[in-house]
Short mmCIF file of all heavy atoms in Angstrom, two decimals:
data_model
loop_
_atom_site.label_atom_id
_atom_site.label_comp_id
_atom_site.label_asym_id
_atom_site.label_seq_id
_atom_site.Cartn_x
_atom_site.Cartn_y
_atom_site.Cartn_z
N MET A 128 -124.73 -150.41 37.66
CA MET A 128 -125.59 -149.54 38.45
C MET A 128 -127.05 -149.76 38.04
O MET A 128 -127.37 -149.92 36.88
CB MET A 128 -125.23 -148.08 38.22
CG MET A 128 -126.12 -147.11 38.96
SD MET A 128 -125.69 -145.39 38.64
CE MET A 128 -126.20 -145.20 36.95
N LYS A 129 -127.91 -149.74 39.03
CA LYS A 129 -129.34 -149.87 38.77
C LYS A 129 -130.07 -148.69 39.44
O LYS A 129 -129.79 -148.35 40.59
CB LYS A 129 -129.84 -151.20 39.32
CG LYS A 129 -131.28 -151.44 38.99
CD LYS A 129 -131.66 -152.88 39.28
CE LYS A 129 -133.16 -152.99 39.02
NZ LYS A 129 -133.64 -154.31 38.93
N ILE A 130 -130.99 -148.08 38.70
CA ILE A 130 -131.74 -146.94 39.22
C ILE A 130 -133.06 -147.44 39.78
O ILE A 130 -133.79 -148.18 39.12
CB ILE A 130 -132.01 -145.90 38.12
CG1 ILE A 130 -130.70 -145.38 37.54
CG2 ILE A 130 -132.85 -144.76 38.66
CD1 ILE A 130 -130.89 -144.42 36.37
N ARG A 131 -133.37 -147.03 41.00
CA ARG A 131 -134.66 -147.36 41.59
C ARG A 131 -135.35 -146.10 42.10
O ARG A 131 -134.68 -145.20 42.61
CB ARG A 131 -134.50 -148.33 42.76
CG ARG A 131 -134.16 -149.75 42.36
CD ARG A 131 -134.21 -150.71 43.53
NE ARG A 131 -133.26 -150.36 44.57
CZ ARG A 131 -133.60 -149.85 45.75
NH1 ARG A 131 -134.86 -149.62 46.05
NH2 ARG A 131 -132.69 -149.55 46.63
N VAL A 132 -136.65 -146.03 41.95
CA VAL A 132 -137.44 -144.92 42.49
C VAL A 132 -138.41 -145.49 43.52
O VAL A 132 -139.15 -146.44 43.23
CB VAL A 132 -138.22 -144.19 41.39
CG1 VAL A 132 -139.17 -143.15 42.00
CG2 VAL A 132 -137.27 -143.51 40.41
N ASP A 133 -138.38 -144.94 44.71
CA ASP A 133 -139.31 -145.37 45.76
C ASP A 133 -140.64 -144.63 45.55
O ASP A 133 -140.73 -143.41 45.77
CB ASP A 133 -138.72 -145.03 47.13
CG ASP A 133 -139.57 -145.57 48.27
OD1 ASP A 133 -140.80 -145.69 48.10
OD2 ASP A 133 -139.00 -145.88 49.33
N ARG A 134 -141.64 -145.37 45.15
CA ARG A 134 -142.93 -144.75 44.81
C ARG A 134 -143.67 -144.26 46.06
O ARG A 134 -144.60 -143.47 45.96
CB ARG A 134 -143.80 -145.73 44.02
CG ARG A 134 -143.19 -146.06 42.66
CD ARG A 134 -143.99 -147.10 41.91
NE ARG A 134 -145.27 -146.63 41.48
CZ ARG A 134 -145.50 -146.01 40.31
NH1 ARG A 134 -144.49 -145.80 39.49
NH2 ARG A 134 -146.70 -145.62 39.97
N GLU A 135 -143.27 -144.73 47.21
CA GLU A 135 -143.86 -144.22 48.45
C GLU A 135 -143.37 -142.80 48.73
O GLU A 135 -144.07 -142.01 49.36
CB GLU A 135 -143.47 -145.12 49.64
CG GLU A 135 -143.93 -146.55 49.52
CD GLU A 135 -145.44 -146.66 49.74
OE1 GLU A 135 -145.94 -146.02 50.67
OE2 GLU A 135 -146.09 -147.38 48.96
N LEU A 136 -142.18 -142.50 48.28
CA LEU A 136 -141.57 -141.19 48.57
C LEU A 136 -141.77 -140.19 47.44
O LEU A 136 -141.87 -138.98 47.68
CB LEU A 136 -140.06 -141.35 48.82
CG LEU A 136 -139.67 -142.15 50.06
CD1 LEU A 136 -138.15 -142.35 50.11
CD2 LEU A 136 -140.14 -141.45 51.32
N CYS A 137 -141.83 -140.66 46.21
CA CYS A 137 -141.92 -139.76 45.05
C CYS A 137 -143.19 -138.92 45.12
O CYS A 137 -144.27 -139.44 45.38
CB CYS A 137 -141.88 -140.57 43.76
SG CYS A 137 -142.06 -139.55 42.28
N GLU A 138 -143.02 -137.62 44.85
CA GLU A 138 -144.20 -136.73 44.83
C GLU A 138 -144.44 -136.16 43.44
O GLU A 138 -145.23 -135.24 43.27
CB GLU A 138 -144.04 -135.61 45.86
CG GLU A 138 -142.86 -134.69 45.55
CD GLU A 138 -142.65 -133.60 46.59
OE1 GLU A 138 -143.28 -133.66 47.66
OE2 GLU A 138 -141.85 -132.69 46.31
N GLY A 139 -143.72 -136.67 42.45
CA GLY A 139 -143.99 -136.31 41.06
C GLY A 139 -143.68 -134.88 40.68
O GLY A 139 -144.33 -134.31 39.82
N ASN A 140 -142.68 -134.30 41.31
CA ASN A 140 -142.38 -132.88 41.03
C ASN A 140 -141.48 -132.68 39.80
O ASN A 140 -141.15 -131.55 39.47
CB ASN A 140 -141.75 -132.23 42.26
CG ASN A 140 -140.54 -133.01 42.74
OD1 ASN A 140 -139.79 -133.55 41.94
ND2 ASN A 140 -140.36 -133.09 44.04
N SER A 141 -141.05 -133.75 39.18
CA SER A 141 -140.29 -133.70 37.90
C SER A 141 -138.88 -133.16 38.01
O SER A 141 -138.26 -132.87 36.99
CB SER A 141 -141.03 -132.87 36.85
OG SER A 141 -142.16 -133.55 36.41
N VAL A 142 -138.37 -133.00 39.21
CA VAL A 142 -137.00 -132.50 39.33
C VAL A 142 -136.03 -133.45 38.64
O VAL A 142 -135.14 -133.02 37.90
CB VAL A 142 -136.62 -132.31 40.82
CG1 VAL A 142 -135.14 -131.98 40.96
CG2 VAL A 142 -137.46 -131.22 41.44
N CYS A 143 -136.23 -134.74 38.83
CA CYS A 143 -135.31 -135.71 38.21
C CYS A 143 -135.43 -135.68 36.69
O CYS A 143 -134.43 -135.85 35.98
CB CYS A 143 -135.58 -137.12 38.73
SG CYS A 143 -137.29 -137.68 38.51
N VAL A 144 -136.64 -135.45 36.18
CA VAL A 144 -136.83 -135.38 34.73
C VAL A 144 -136.09 -134.17 34.17
O VAL A 144 -135.47 -134.24 33.10
CB VAL A 144 -138.33 -135.31 34.39
CG1 VAL A 144 -138.54 -135.24 32.89
CG2 VAL A 144 -139.07 -136.50 34.98
N ALA A 145 -136.12 -133.07 34.90
CA ALA A 145 -135.42 -131.87 34.45
C ALA A 145 -133.91 -132.06 34.51
O ALA A 145 -133.18 -131.61 33.61
CB ALA A 145 -135.83 -130.68 35.31
N LEU A 146 -133.44 -132.75 35.54
CA LEU A 146 -131.99 -132.92 35.72
C LEU A 146 -131.42 -134.03 34.84
O LEU A 146 -130.26 -133.96 34.43
CB LEU A 146 -131.68 -133.23 37.19
CG LEU A 146 -131.90 -132.09 38.17
CD1 LEU A 146 -131.75 -132.59 39.61
CD2 LEU A 146 -130.92 -130.95 37.91
N ALA A 147 -132.21 -135.03 34.56
CA ALA A 147 -131.73 -136.19 33.79
C ALA A 147 -132.82 -136.68 32.85
O ALA A 147 -133.39 -137.76 33.04
CB ALA A 147 -131.29 -137.30 34.75
N PRO A 148 -133.13 -135.90 31.82
CA PRO A 148 -134.26 -136.24 30.94
C PRO A 148 -134.07 -137.55 30.18
O PRO A 148 -135.06 -138.16 29.75
CB PRO A 148 -134.35 -135.05 29.99
CG PRO A 148 -133.04 -134.35 30.09
CD PRO A 148 -132.50 -134.63 31.46
N ALA A 149 -132.84 -138.00 30.03
CA ALA A 149 -132.62 -139.26 29.31
C ALA A 149 -132.88 -140.46 30.22
O ALA A 149 -133.02 -141.59 29.74
CB ALA A 149 -131.20 -139.31 28.78
N LEU A 150 -132.95 -140.22 31.51
CA LEU A 150 -133.04 -141.34 32.45
C LEU A 150 -134.37 -141.47 33.16
O LEU A 150 -134.70 -142.54 33.66
CB LEU A 150 -131.93 -141.20 33.52
CG LEU A 150 -130.50 -141.21 33.00
CD1 LEU A 150 -129.54 -141.03 34.16
CD2 LEU A 150 -130.21 -142.51 32.26
N PHE A 151 -135.15 -140.37 33.23
CA PHE A 151 -136.40 -140.41 34.00
C PHE A 151 -137.56 -139.83 33.19
O PHE A 151 -137.39 -138.93 32.39
CB PHE A 151 -136.27 -139.60 35.30
CG PHE A 151 -135.30 -140.16 36.27
CD1 PHE A 151 -133.98 -139.74 36.26
CD2 PHE A 151 -135.67 -141.13 37.19
CE1 PHE A 151 -133.05 -140.27 37.16
CE2 PHE A 151 -134.76 -141.66 38.08
CZ PHE A 151 -133.45 -141.23 38.06
N ASP A 152 -138.74 -140.36 33.49
CA ASP A 152 -139.98 -139.80 32.95
C ASP A 152 -141.04 -139.98 34.03
O ASP A 152 -140.84 -140.72 34.99
CB ASP A 152 -140.37 -140.54 31.67
CG ASP A 152 -141.32 -139.72 30.81
OD1 ASP A 152 -141.69 -138.59 31.22
OD2 ASP A 152 -141.69 -140.19 29.73
N LEU A 153 -142.16 -139.29 33.88
CA LEU A 153 -143.27 -139.51 34.81
C LEU A 153 -144.28 -140.45 34.16
O LEU A 153 -144.54 -140.35 32.96
CB LEU A 153 -143.97 -138.20 35.17
CG LEU A 153 -143.18 -137.17 35.97
CD1 LEU A 153 -144.13 -136.06 36.46
CD2 LEU A 153 -142.45 -137.77 37.15
N ASP A 154 -144.84 -141.36 34.95
CA ASP A 154 -145.85 -142.27 34.39
C ASP A 154 -147.24 -141.65 34.53
O ASP A 154 -147.39 -140.49 34.93
CB ASP A 154 -145.75 -143.65 35.05
CG ASP A 154 -146.12 -143.64 36.52
OD1 ASP A 154 -146.67 -142.63 37.00
OD2 ASP A 154 -145.87 -144.66 37.19
N ASP A 155 -148.27 -142.40 34.20
CA ASP A 155 -149.64 -141.89 34.22
C ASP A 155 -150.10 -141.50 35.62
O ASP A 155 -151.06 -140.74 35.78
CB ASP A 155 -150.60 -142.92 33.62
CG ASP A 155 -150.35 -143.11 32.13
OD1 ASP A 155 -149.73 -142.23 31.52
OD2 ASP A 155 -150.78 -144.14 31.59
N ASP A 156 -149.44 -142.04 36.63
CA ASP A 156 -149.78 -141.70 38.01
C ASP A 156 -148.94 -140.55 38.54
O ASP A 156 -148.94 -140.25 39.73
CB ASP A 156 -149.56 -142.92 38.93
CG ASP A 156 -150.48 -144.08 38.56
OD1 ASP A 156 -151.64 -143.80 38.21
OD2 ASP A 156 -150.03 -145.23 38.62
N ASN A 157 -148.17 -139.89 37.63
CA ASN A 157 -147.28 -138.79 38.03
C ASN A 157 -146.18 -139.25 38.97
O ASN A 157 -145.77 -138.50 39.87
CB ASN A 157 -148.07 -137.65 38.69
CG ASN A 157 -148.16 -136.46 37.77
OD1 ASN A 157 -147.68 -136.49 36.63
ND2 ASN A 157 -148.77 -135.40 38.26
N MET A 158 -145.73 -140.45 38.77
CA MET A 158 -144.59 -140.97 39.54
C MET A 158 -143.41 -141.10 38.60
O MET A 158 -143.57 -141.50 37.44
CB MET A 158 -144.92 -142.37 40.08
CG MET A 158 -146.05 -142.40 41.05
SD MET A 158 -145.45 -141.97 42.67
CE MET A 158 -146.96 -142.09 43.59
N ALA A 159 -142.24 -140.81 39.12
CA ALA A 159 -141.04 -140.95 38.30
C ALA A 159 -140.75 -142.42 38.04
O ALA A 159 -140.87 -143.25 38.94
CB ALA A 159 -139.86 -140.30 38.99
N VAL A 160 -140.35 -142.70 36.82
CA VAL A 160 -139.92 -144.05 36.48
C VAL A 160 -138.59 -143.96 35.73
O VAL A 160 -138.40 -143.08 34.89
CB VAL A 160 -140.95 -144.79 35.59
CG1 VAL A 160 -142.14 -145.23 36.39
CG2 VAL A 160 -141.38 -143.95 34.42
N PRO A 161 -137.67 -144.85 36.06
CA PRO A 161 -136.41 -144.88 35.30
C PRO A 161 -136.69 -145.37 33.89
O PRO A 161 -137.39 -146.36 33.70
CB PRO A 161 -135.54 -145.89 36.07
CG PRO A 161 -136.26 -146.18 37.34
CD PRO A 161 -137.69 -145.84 37.13
N MET A 162 -136.17 -144.68 32.91
CA MET A 162 -136.37 -145.09 31.53
C MET A 162 -135.32 -146.13 31.11
O MET A 162 -135.50 -146.85 30.14
CB MET A 162 -136.30 -143.89 30.60
CG MET A 162 -137.51 -142.99 30.79
SD MET A 162 -137.32 -141.37 30.10
CE MET A 162 -136.81 -141.70 28.46
N VAL A 163 -134.24 -146.16 31.84
CA VAL A 163 -133.17 -147.12 31.59
C VAL A 163 -132.88 -147.80 32.92
O VAL A 163 -132.62 -147.12 33.91
CB VAL A 163 -131.88 -146.41 31.11
CG1 VAL A 163 -130.83 -147.41 30.71
CG2 VAL A 163 -132.19 -145.46 29.98
N GLU A 164 -132.97 -149.11 32.95
CA GLU A 164 -132.77 -149.77 34.23
C GLU A 164 -131.29 -149.84 34.61
O GLU A 164 -130.93 -149.61 35.76
CB GLU A 164 -133.37 -151.17 34.22
CG GLU A 164 -133.88 -151.55 35.59
CD GLU A 164 -134.69 -152.82 35.55
OE1 GLU A 164 -134.09 -153.87 35.32
OE2 GLU A 164 -135.91 -152.75 35.75
N ASN A 165 -130.48 -150.16 33.64
CA ASN A 165 -129.04 -150.26 33.91
C ASN A 165 -128.29 -149.31 32.98
O ASN A 165 -127.81 -149.73 31.93
CB ASN A 165 -128.55 -151.69 33.72
CG ASN A 165 -129.18 -152.63 34.72
OD1 ASN A 165 -128.93 -152.53 35.91
ND2 ASN A 165 -130.01 -153.52 34.24
N PRO A 166 -128.19 -148.05 33.34
CA PRO A 166 -127.56 -147.07 32.44
C PRO A 166 -126.07 -147.32 32.28
O PRO A 166 -125.42 -147.91 33.14
CB PRO A 166 -127.82 -145.73 33.13
CG PRO A 166 -128.10 -146.06 34.54
CD PRO A 166 -128.67 -147.44 34.58
N ALA A 167 -125.57 -146.86 31.16
CA ALA A 167 -124.14 -146.99 30.88
C ALA A 167 -123.34 -146.12 31.85
O ALA A 167 -123.87 -145.19 32.46
CB ALA A 167 -123.87 -146.55 29.44
N ALA A 168 -122.07 -146.44 31.96
CA ALA A 168 -121.20 -145.72 32.89
C ALA A 168 -121.19 -144.22 32.61
O ALA A 168 -121.09 -143.41 33.54
CB ALA A 168 -119.79 -146.29 32.80
N GLU A 169 -121.34 -143.84 31.34
CA GLU A 169 -121.30 -142.41 30.99
C GLU A 169 -122.50 -141.66 31.58
O GLU A 169 -122.46 -140.43 31.70
CB GLU A 169 -121.31 -142.21 29.47
CG GLU A 169 -120.24 -142.97 28.71
CD GLU A 169 -120.68 -144.39 28.39
OE1 GLU A 169 -121.59 -144.55 27.58
OE2 GLU A 169 -120.10 -145.32 28.96
N ALA A 170 -123.55 -142.38 31.89
CA ALA A 170 -124.75 -141.72 32.42
C ALA A 170 -124.71 -141.60 33.95
O ALA A 170 -125.63 -141.06 34.56
CB ALA A 170 -125.99 -142.50 32.01
N MET A 171 -123.65 -142.09 34.54
CA MET A 171 -123.54 -142.10 36.01
C MET A 171 -123.67 -140.71 36.62
O MET A 171 -124.39 -140.52 37.60
CB MET A 171 -122.20 -142.72 36.38
CG MET A 171 -122.03 -142.99 37.83
SD MET A 171 -123.07 -144.36 38.33
CE MET A 171 -122.65 -144.44 40.06
N ALA A 172 -122.98 -139.73 36.04
CA ALA A 172 -123.00 -138.38 36.60
C ALA A 172 -124.41 -137.80 36.55
O ALA A 172 -124.86 -137.16 37.50
CB ALA A 172 -122.01 -137.48 35.85
N GLU A 173 -125.09 -138.06 35.45
CA GLU A 173 -126.45 -137.56 35.31
C GLU A 173 -127.38 -138.23 36.33
O GLU A 173 -128.23 -137.57 36.95
CB GLU A 173 -126.94 -137.83 33.88
CG GLU A 173 -128.17 -137.05 33.50
CD GLU A 173 -128.55 -137.23 32.04
OE1 GLU A 173 -127.70 -137.72 31.26
OE2 GLU A 173 -129.68 -136.91 31.69
N ALA A 174 -127.22 -139.52 36.51
CA ALA A 174 -128.04 -140.25 37.48
C ALA A 174 -127.77 -139.73 38.89
O ALA A 174 -128.70 -139.56 39.70
CB ALA A 174 -127.74 -141.74 37.39
N GLU A 175 -126.53 -139.45 39.19
CA GLU A 175 -126.19 -138.94 40.52
C GLU A 175 -126.76 -137.54 40.74
O GLU A 175 -127.21 -137.21 41.83
CB GLU A 175 -124.67 -138.94 40.73
CG GLU A 175 -124.15 -140.32 41.04
CD GLU A 175 -122.64 -140.36 41.21
OE1 GLU A 175 -121.97 -139.35 40.90
OE2 GLU A 175 -122.16 -141.41 41.64
N ARG A 176 -126.73 -136.73 39.68
CA ARG A 176 -127.32 -135.39 39.78
C ARG A 176 -128.80 -135.49 40.13
O ARG A 176 -129.31 -134.76 40.98
CB ARG A 176 -127.17 -134.66 38.44
CG ARG A 176 -126.24 -133.46 38.52
CD ARG A 176 -126.29 -132.53 37.34
NE ARG A 176 -126.56 -133.09 36.05
CZ ARG A 176 -125.64 -133.56 35.22
NH1 ARG A 176 -124.37 -133.56 35.58
NH2 ARG A 176 -125.97 -134.04 34.04
N ALA A 177 -129.49 -136.39 39.47
CA ALA A 177 -130.92 -136.55 39.72
C ALA A 177 -131.15 -137.08 41.14
O ALA A 177 -132.03 -136.58 41.87
CB ALA A 177 -131.53 -137.50 38.70
N ALA A 178 -130.38 -138.07 41.54
CA ALA A 178 -130.56 -138.64 42.88
C ALA A 178 -130.29 -137.59 43.96
O ALA A 178 -131.04 -137.47 44.94
CB ALA A 178 -129.64 -139.84 43.07
N ASN A 179 -129.24 -136.80 43.75
CA ASN A 179 -128.91 -135.77 44.73
C ASN A 179 -129.90 -134.62 44.70
O ASN A 179 -130.11 -133.95 45.71
CB ASN A 179 -127.49 -135.23 44.48
CG ASN A 179 -126.43 -136.26 44.78
OD1 ASN A 179 -126.64 -137.16 45.58
ND2 ASN A 179 -125.29 -136.15 44.12
N GLY A 180 -130.52 -134.39 43.55
CA GLY A 180 -131.45 -133.27 43.41
C GLY A 180 -132.86 -133.59 43.86
O GLY A 180 -133.67 -132.68 44.05
N CYS A 181 -133.18 -134.86 44.00
CA CYS A 181 -134.54 -135.23 44.39
C CYS A 181 -134.82 -134.74 45.82
O CYS A 181 -134.18 -135.18 46.76
CB CYS A 181 -134.73 -136.74 44.32
SG CYS A 181 -136.34 -137.26 44.94
N PRO A 182 -135.78 -133.85 45.98
CA PRO A 182 -136.05 -133.31 47.31
C PRO A 182 -136.65 -134.33 48.27
O PRO A 182 -136.67 -134.11 49.48
CB PRO A 182 -137.03 -132.16 47.04
CG PRO A 182 -137.64 -132.46 45.73
CD PRO A 182 -136.63 -133.25 44.95
N ARG A 183 -137.13 -135.44 47.74
CA ARG A 183 -137.73 -136.48 48.58
C ARG A 183 -136.78 -137.65 48.83
O ARG A 183 -137.15 -138.61 49.48
CB ARG A 183 -139.00 -137.00 47.90
CG ARG A 183 -140.04 -135.92 47.67
CD ARG A 183 -140.85 -135.65 48.92
NE ARG A 183 -141.61 -136.84 49.28
CZ ARG A 183 -142.06 -137.10 50.50
NH1 ARG A 183 -141.82 -136.26 51.47
NH2 ARG A 183 -142.74 -138.19 50.74
N GLU A 184 -135.57 -137.55 48.29
CA GLU A 184 -134.59 -138.65 48.41
C GLU A 184 -135.22 -139.99 48.00
O GLU A 184 -135.07 -141.01 48.67
CB GLU A 184 -134.01 -138.71 49.82
CG GLU A 184 -133.26 -137.44 50.17
CD GLU A 184 -132.56 -137.51 51.53
OE1 GLU A 184 -132.55 -138.58 52.15
OE2 GLU A 184 -132.01 -136.47 51.93
N ALA A 185 -135.96 -139.94 46.88
CA ALA A 185 -136.69 -141.12 46.43
C ALA A 185 -135.91 -141.97 45.44
O ALA A 185 -136.35 -143.04 45.07
CB ALA A 185 -138.02 -140.70 45.81
N ILE A 186 -134.74 -141.46 45.01
CA ILE A 186 -133.97 -142.17 43.99
C ILE A 186 -132.77 -142.87 44.63
O ILE A 186 -131.99 -142.24 45.33
CB ILE A 186 -133.48 -141.18 42.91
CG1 ILE A 186 -134.68 -140.51 42.24
CG2 ILE A 186 -132.61 -141.90 41.88
CD1 ILE A 186 -134.30 -139.38 41.31
N ALA A 187 -132.67 -144.16 44.37
CA ALA A 187 -131.53 -144.93 44.87
C ALA A 187 -130.75 -145.46 43.66
O ALA A 187 -131.32 -145.87 42.66
CB ALA A 187 -132.01 -146.08 45.73
N LEU A 188 -129.44 -145.41 43.78
CA LEU A 188 -128.55 -145.96 42.76
C LEU A 188 -127.84 -147.15 43.39
O LEU A 188 -127.05 -146.98 44.31
CB LEU A 188 -127.54 -144.90 42.30
CG LEU A 188 -128.12 -143.58 41.83
CD1 LEU A 188 -127.01 -142.61 41.45
CD2 LEU A 188 -129.07 -143.80 40.66
N ASP A 189 -128.13 -148.32 42.89
CA ASP A 189 -127.53 -149.54 43.45
C ASP A 189 -126.41 -150.04 42.57
O ASP A 189 -126.51 -149.98 41.35
CB ASP A 189 -128.59 -150.65 43.56
CG ASP A 189 -129.71 -150.27 44.52
OD1 ASP A 189 -129.44 -149.47 45.43
OD2 ASP A 189 -130.83 -150.76 44.34
N GLY A 190 -125.42 -150.55 43.20
CA GLY A 190 -124.34 -151.19 42.45
C GLY A 190 -123.24 -150.26 42.05
O GLY A 190 -123.25 -149.10 42.28
S1 LIG B 924 -137.23 -135.73 41.80
FE1 LIG B 924 -137.82 -137.31 43.27
S2 LIG B 924 -139.82 -136.72 44.01
FE2 LIG B 924 -139.44 -135.60 42.13
S3 LIG B 924 -140.34 -136.83 40.50
FE3 LIG B 924 -138.19 -137.41 40.66
S4 LIG B 924 -138.14 -139.16 42.08
FE4 LIG B 924 -140.11 -138.14 42.31
#
């Protein structure tokens, strides 16, 4: 699985950081960035929570 954030859609509201603090952070431009590009299988549920919780649908999980 690979985590991607669409920077055109992200509005920097930190919902993903709150839901999955091990996987996301905000950069200097207040955009979410994945901290782990290819998370382990155990992190899948957390990544899905963040993707489903993003109000802008800016998070894609590939693979
Ligand atoms: S929840 Fe979505 S809109 Fe909010 S910071 Fe994360 S990726 Fe960006």
Side-chain angles (χ1 to χ4, degrees):
M128 177 181 70
K129 185 168 175 166
I130 300 176
R131 286 188 299 108
V132 173
D133 186 330
R134 295 176 69 88
E135 299 287 317
L136 295 174
C137 177
E138 63 182 11
N140 54 36
S141 289
V142 172
C143 56
V144 180
L146 290 172
L150 299 178
F151 294 92
D152 201 358
L153 294 191
D154 66 12
D155 293 341
D156 297 322
N157 252 3
M158 296 277 180
V160 285
M162 290 164 52
V163 186
E164 212 170 70
N165 295 294
E169 307 85 68
M171 189 71 180
E173 195 174 345
E175 282 179 350
R176 247 193 327 272
N179 292 333
C181 174
R183 300 279 296 157
E184 298 185 7
I186 300 171
L188 307 178
D189 297 333

